[in-house]
Amino acid sequence: MCRFLHFLLKRLYQPSVISEIIGGILLGPTALGRWKAFSTNVFPKESLVNLNLVANFGLVLFLFMIGLELDPRMLKKNISRGVAISIAGIALPFGLGAAVSYALYSILMDSVGKFVNFLLFCGVAMAITAFPVLARILTERNLLKTTVGSISMSAAAVDDVVSWCLLALVIALTNNSSGLTALYVFLAGLAWVLFVILVVRPVYLGYLRRSGVLSGRDPTQTVLFVTFMMVLVSAFYTDAIGIHAIFGGFLIGVIIPHDGGFAVKVVEKIEDVVHIFFLPIYFTLSGLKTDFTDLKEGETWGLWVLVTFVAFFGKIVGCGLAARFTKFTWRESLTVGILMATKGLVELVVLNIGLDAGVIDTRIFSLMVLMAIATTVATTPLVTWLYPPKYHKRLDDLHTDDTASESGDMDPNAGPPANLLIVLSRIQQVPAAMTLLGYLCRRPTGNGLTHSTSDAPISGVHKHLYRPLRVFGLRLLELTGRDSSIMQHYESETQVLTDPAMSMFRAFARVANMAFHAALAYSDREHFVDNICNSSQDASAEITVVSAFGRSSNSNSDIVAGQADKSPDLAPGWFESFGWGFTSEQQAS
């Protein structure tokens, strides 16, 4: 059901989490659950205990993956701006959520339970940002490597860490009747955090260095066993002291190093089973608790409008003003505020924890779920409208970064270097590209042509005609939609240092005495052409060589089929026959 809904909703540029939430709701009492034969046969009460156990185990792994996605190096890039935007994006929504909580508590909760706990919970629910959903939206809209996307990711990372800590405090207060016991639980949790960071992390890093995984080697089964045992032990401890098991999994994810692509490789091991098996069960159980038929009165819908407005207003105003204060334009600042208002799955996790702990009832749970859907659904259309591609300011690429590999000495007697961009996707394309560059690197001498590594002087006739070659290599890979693919895209600046194709090119450039700069990018097929054009402009490339993407054969039948499907606004040629969408204008430029 979720896959079918996503097939429909992705045309509206909605993230997959929306279809998963809606799919769970449709299985619950809002729709199919009202059919008694369906609910008693498909989801009998006896099965819910076991399903809940499986879902919570998957939730621990999911929060572990969220922790893995938080790269400390990401925060260092925008530390001052990110922290300022995050603090403003937490303080204002938290305050507004606390103010709205009085109306919700009086009208829907009938003043049952501790108001202080309810107030704190509402503040956290308004303040949190869905980091994984935000990363997916930025990637799908090709915004991850823009200034707006980068600062939003940094601010959301800080936002998530602070919000989870506040939620842990709320759960500690809720599960313990006396303030002294709650203080003991909070201090026990704080002690565990310090123990993990100060004791466990250094020992674990030393073990990983000795095993070689931080240098790019694939993790062994023993390394993965140690890692997942840490996750389970940490989850067991935080659950035993009365917080929640997910906080233990999240904590271990945060301390996992990203050097050598280790964090990405760990995510690759578990992401499919988490997203295909565990999370659908969790969405289903959440949908069984959601009943929109309880929201009957006009007063309740008025409260939903108020809560949704506060969720948007608090984030947009708080983060927007902070972004404007840190020298962003008004358009960029509002875009940051809208992106930070994304709730998604993380909000659903928070609401389920609050419902299980007795902080909120089913009516407020359903109301908040509807708010989370509204804020997440509105994010992509609003960002697309407010921040179209012509306003994008992209981050400095590796083509101009001082860490790029530069080899070769420019001959003072030669002309200015000629910039060439070569785009690859598969490592099998490297030998052919090297052969081409070998011919292009030849330079004239008095007796004819020799390779550029020759020490022979350039003849007077050719002295001002010869231009040495400066090559910019772009490894362009397709986004698969997995979390690991998004992590690789964001960490491409470090991934390029160990990429096998670019490493082979660096070695070739040193032998050929040729200047070479490397870059790595991930993109969906919709934005392949844009990435190539942008990289060509960044490199000031006079020649751009693009390898054949997306086809395993270049037979005549493939080419004829490609030409037969050609649309009238595309120019015929090599690009189109291999499935590319270059327009006439783009091919001409």
Side-chain angles (χ1 to χ4, degrees):
M1 179 180 289
C2 294
R3 299 288 176 181
F4 175 73
L5 290 172
H6 181 58
F7 176 76
L8 299 176
L9 294 176
K10 70 179 180 181
R11 302 177 184 275
L12 302 176
Y13 305 109
Q14 295 301 321
S16 59
V17 66
I18 292 297
S19 58
E20 292 166 342
I21 294 176
I22 294 176
I25 292 172
L26 293 178
L27 294 174
T30 301
L32 294 175
R34 302 186 69 82
W35 182 21
K36 188 175 180 179
F38 178 85
S39 59
T40 49
N41 289 290
V42 179
F43 299 109
K45 291 183 179 180
E46 298 79 14
S47 67
L48 296 182
V49 176
N50 295 328
L51 286 176
N52 191 61
L53 179 63
V54 174
N56 282 328
F57 178 73
L59 194 61
V60 170
L61 294 179
F62 177 70
L63 264 292
F64 170 63
M65 288 173 54
I66 292 181
L68 282 168
E69 294 178 18
L70 301 179
D71 187 357
R73 295 173 299 186
M74 174 176 59
L75 303 178
K76 295 179 182 178
K77 297 179 183 178
N78 306 290
I79 185 66
S80 57
R81 284 180 162 186
V83 170
I85 293 173
S86 179
I87 291 176
I90 291 175
L92 184 59
F94 188 92
L96 293 175
V100 170
S101 66
Y102 180 76
L104 295 174
Y105 183 76
S106 302
I107 298 174
L108 297 183
M109 287 287 289
D110 298 324
S111 301
V112 176
K114 290 186 177 181
F115 176 65
V116 175
N117 298 343
F118 184 79
L119 181 147
L120 292 173
F121 179 83
C122 288
V124 172
M126 294 295 175
I128 203 165
T129 296
F131 183 85
V133 180
L134 174 63
R136 189 169 295 275
I137 291 174
L138 291 173
T139 303
E140 291 176 352
R141 304 316 302 156
N142 204 27
L143 291 172
L144 197 57
K145 290 302 184 73
T146 63
T147 54
V148 167
S150 178
I151 196 65
S152 298
M153 289 287 284
S154 299
V158 178
D159 192 312
D160 257 21
V161 173
V162 174
S163 297
W164 286 118
C165 293
L166 291 174
L167 182 61
L169 176 61
V170 174
I171 299 304
L173 291 172
T174 303
N175 292 339
N176 299 278
S177 55
S178 66
L180 187 62
T181 306
L183 178 62
Y184 166 77
V185 170
F186 179 75
L187 292 177
L190 180 62
W192 178 250
V193 171
L194 295 176
F195 175 75
V196 169
I197 294 176
L198 300 178
V199 179
V200 175
R201 185 174 185 272
V203 175
Y204 181 64
L205 288 178
Y207 169 69
L208 294 180
R209 289 193 188 97
R210 289 192 299 272
S211 63
V213 296
L214 299 186
S215 302
R217 182 180 299 175
D218 288 337
T220 62
Q221 287 186 345
T222 304
V223 170
L224 294 174
F225 169 77
V226 171
T227 302
F228 289 118
M229 279 302 298
M230 289 168 52
V231 174
L232 296 178
V233 170
S234 182
F236 172 79
Y237 178 84
T238 54
D239 186 59
I241 63 176
I243 303 179
H244 199 287
I246 65 172
F247 297 106
F250 177 76
L251 177 61
I252 298 299
V254 171
I255 70 167
I256 299 296
H258 289 245
D259 302 32
F262 177 64
V264 174
K265 293 172 183 175
V266 173
V267 171
E268 287 176 341
K269 302 297 182 182
I270 62 173
E271 58 183 343
D272 286 341
V273 69
V274 170
H275 284 286
I276 294 175
F277 179 71
F278 286 114
L279 282 186
I281 296 176
Y282 184 80
F283 281 117
T284 300
L285 289 176
S286 178
L288 295 177
K289 302 172 188 175
T290 307
D291 189 359
F292 289 156
T293 59
D294 287 341
L295 309 179
K296 300 176 181 177
E297 299 84 2
E299 189 178 43
T300 305
W301 286 103
L303 289 173
W304 172 76
V305 172
L306 176 64
V307 168
T308 305
F309 172 78
V310 166
F312 265 122
F313 181 83
K315 285 291 186 180
I316 293 175
V317 174
C319 296
L321 290 178
R324 181 64 181 135
F325 180 75
T326 54
K327 306 301 174 59
F328 282 96
T329 66
W330 277 113
R331 183 180 294 273
E332 293 170 337
S333 301
L334 291 175
T335 304
V336 170
I338 294 171
L339 289 169
M340 292 292 288
T342 304
K343 301 296 183 186
L345 175 57
V346 175
E347 180 77 4
L348 204 65
V349 174
V350 171
L351 296 176
N352 275 279
I353 292 175
L355 181 63
D356 294 338
V359 182
I360 59 176
D361 63 7
T362 54
R363 280 200 299 174
I364 293 183
F365 176 82
S366 300
L367 185 144
M368 291 284 198
V369 168
L370 194 57
M371 176 272 291
I373 294 175
T375 53
T376 307
V377 166
T379 298
T380 301
L382 287 176
V383 168
T384 304
W385 169 74
L386 183 62
Y387 196 60
K390 65 179 180 179
Y391 294 106
H392 292 182
K393 295 178 182 177
R394 296 186 301 114
L395 299 173
D396 291 337
D397 197 82
L398 280 180
H399 293 311
T400 56
D401 194 2
D402 57 6
T403 62
S405 173
E406 178 79 26
S407 62
D409 298 324
M410 297 301 177
D411 194 324
N413 296 320
N419 296 337
L420 180 145
L421 173 67
I422 185 162
V423 186
L424 305 171
S425 63
R426 298 184 295 273
I427 196 169
Q428 291 87 346
Q429 298 161 343
V430 173
M434 288 181 177
T435 303
L436 173 64
L437 292 178
Y439 285 107
L440 294 177
C441 283
R442 295 175 182 269
R443 70 177 184 176
T445 66
N447 297 324
L449 291 176
T450 67
H451 283 90
S452 60
T453 55
S454 173
D455 295 328
I458 301 177
S459 65
V461 176
H462 297 101
K463 181 178 294 184
H464 300 292
L465 297 179
Y466 170 67
R467 297 175 61 190
L469 198 63
R470 180 189 288 136
V471 178
F472 297 85
L474 174 64
R475 180 93 187 272
L476 186 57
L477 301 174
E478 185 174 1
L479 278 172
T480 61
R482 289 183 168 91
D483 291 344
S484 58
S485 182
I486 296 174
M487 291 175 65
Q488 288 173 328
H489 178 39
Y490 196 82
E491 298 177 14
S492 59
E493 293 182 8
T494 55
Q495 294 275 333
V496 71
L497 301 177
T498 57
D499 181 74
M502 293 296 102
S503 297
M504 292 174 64
F505 257 111
R506 286 192 195 92
F508 171 77
R510 292 189 185 98
V511 173
N513 196 31
M514 177 181 64
F516 178 74
H517 301 255
L520 182 67
Y522 288 80
S523 174
D524 54 14
R525 299 188 70 84
E526 180 183 351
H527 296 104
F528 269 5
V529 175
D530 294 332
N531 272 280
I532 294 175
C533 292
N534 291 333
S535 297
S536 180
Q537 292 174 1
D538 291 342
S540 300
E542 300 173 48
I543 303 174
T544 299
V545 179
V546 184
S547 60
F549 286 74
R551 294 288 179 126
S552 57
S553 171
N554 60 349
S555 62
N556 293 332
S557 60
D558 287 338
I559 296 177
V560 171
Q563 291 177 346
D565 296 335
K566 134 183 103 175
S567 56
D569 59 335
L570 297 180
W574 183 88
F575 294 115
E576 187 188 347
S577 67
F578 280 96
W580 285 87
F582 282 95
T583 63
S584 303
E585 180 182 356
Q586 289 168 330
Q587 291 194 42
S589 62

